[in-house]
Amino acid sequence: MIADATMTALHAALSGLQQRSEATADNIANIDTPGYLASRVDFESTLRNELANGETATGGQGAVTQSTDPTNTNGNNVNLDTETTIATETGLRYQLALNALDSKYSLLRSALRTS
Amino acid sequence: MSTFDVLRISGSGLYANRKWMDAVSDNLANINTATSTDQSAFQERMVTVEATDYGSGRGGVQVTGAQFGSAEGRLVYEPSNALADADGYVRYPDIDMADQMTQLIQAQRSYQANLSSIDRATEAYKAALQLGKG
């Protein structure tokens, strides 16, 4: 099998992080929308459970919840600083997962060459 | 969820904020537009937005339309104005300059925030496109 447990786990992480960056972009796009509540994505708990139980990571969608931060006068609770921090962290973790996946591919390539 | 969804979402944010800036600049451009008292004053335009399909995961923001400010405006005694009525009054729009400038800055900053989102997403996508090439 080409895709081992590590690769499926990394793949699940990538799609979860991608989903989180979409949520952050959505929050920033709606930073002035009255009544909008910031969304938060959690894919880590599912992934952690799956890995702990020795299951294959499904890479399904993370759970989306609405932020419980206090709202301002127009009922919106998006904070640009929070969103920027999350977006930066998500971006870095995305790169990290990509690098890890890349090294897996390098290993595969070397294995294919040694014959 | 499509491949480059962040770009679409942030793009909708750019669009909404540009519409907002358009409305504000229109309001500012007409802040001194006098009309005669038998006509309605220039009405302040306020763009209304809502989250696209909130909760469905499609994401983004959309401009739903505009609300208009007071058509009555404010009456100003200006007998020398060509549009003045028999009592010497003309109608000016009821627009607050400071309020408009605040809105302009707000829209501008939100626009920039969306642009940063696009930058960040582009970096991530670029890195993903290099996958397996190393």
Side-chain angles (χ1 to χ4, degrees), chain B residues 32-42 71-75 81 83-85 89-93:
Chain B
N32 284 317
T33 304
T35 42
S36 59
T37 46
D38 55 356
Q39 284 178 327
S40 63
F42 173 84
E72 214 156 290
R74 53 195 171 91
L75 290 177
N81 196 313
L83 295 166
D85 63 7
Y89 283 99
V90 286
R91 223 184 265 287
Y92 274 103

Side-chain angles (χ1 to χ4, degrees), chain B residues 41-44 46 68-74 93-94:
Chain B
F42 173 84
Q43 283 165 280
E44 177 187 3
M46 293 165 278
F68 291 94
S70 151
E72 214 156 290
R74 53 195 171 91
D94 189 15

Side-chain angles (χ1 to χ4, degrees), chain B residues 13 18 36 43 45 60 72 93 99 103 106 130:
Chain B
R18 194 165 47 75
S36 59
Q43 283 165 280
R45 196 148 54 92
E72 214 156 290
D99 174 52
Q103 286 192 41
Q106 217 177 331
Q130 294 302 315

